[in-house]
């Protein structure tokens, strides 16, 4: 539910359709992509070490999936952070703030 408020911004409907044709239900595929985006956003924002991410994720998704996620995070952290900076509104600054 939380992940649905953080939709993956770089994934097109066509890509979701291709993934869903390989893996099944389109709505389920969209939720999986949004959840992965949410997780990467959180670990990137906190610059969480892969071992800490694994210890958190493993009880919920199992060691194999946690290892896969952590390998991806550990090997691509710099690129993930830079991509999130360009697609996220978190790092944007206000041009003007007017308090009424």
């Amino acid at each position: 539910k939380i992940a649905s408020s953080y939709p993956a911004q770089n994934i097109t409907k066509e890509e979701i359709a291709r993934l869903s044709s390989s893996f099944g239900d389109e709505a389920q595929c969209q939720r999986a992509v949004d959840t992965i985006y949410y997780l990467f956003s959180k670990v990137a924002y906190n610059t969480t070490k892969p071992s800490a991410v694994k210890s958190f994720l493993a009880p919920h998704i199992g060691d194999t999936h946690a290892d896969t996620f952590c390998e991806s995070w550990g090997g691509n952290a710099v690129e993930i952070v830079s991509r999130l900076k360009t697609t996220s509104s978190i790092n944007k600054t206000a041009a003007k703030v007017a308090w009424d």
Side-chain angles (χ1 to χ4, degrees):
K1 197 171 187 178
I2 292 171
S4 64
S5 63
Y6 290 88
Q9 298 169 353
N10 291 331
I11 304 292
T12 65
K13 291 287 183 192
E14 293 79 25
E15 290 170 319
I16 293 295
R18 276 198 315 261
L19 286 170
S20 65
S21 70
S22 298
F23 298 110
D25 181 26
E26 188 171 325
Q28 207 171 28
C29 188
Q30 181 67 56
R31 281 192 300 275
V33 168
D34 290 345
T35 300
I36 293 166
Y37 179 83
Y38 172 77
L39 289 170
F40 275 124
S41 297
K42 290 302 170 190
V43 298
Y45 180 79
N46 296 303
T47 55
T48 310
K49 292 180 180 180
S51 59
V53 174
K54 182 181 178 189
S55 65
F56 173 76
L57 289 178
H60 302 287
I61 63 173
D63 286 333
T64 303
H65 295 304
D67 282 339
T68 302
F69 185 89
C70 291
E71 285 175 24
S72 182
W73 169 237
N76 301 293
V78 173
E79 182 180 349
I80 292 168
V81 170
S82 78
R83 280 186 167 187
L84 287 170
K85 282 182 178 179
T86 62
T87 62
S88 174
S89 62
I90 293 171
N91 292 316
K92 306 290 187 232
T93 57
K96 179 182 175 184
V97 176
W99 299 100
D100 294 328

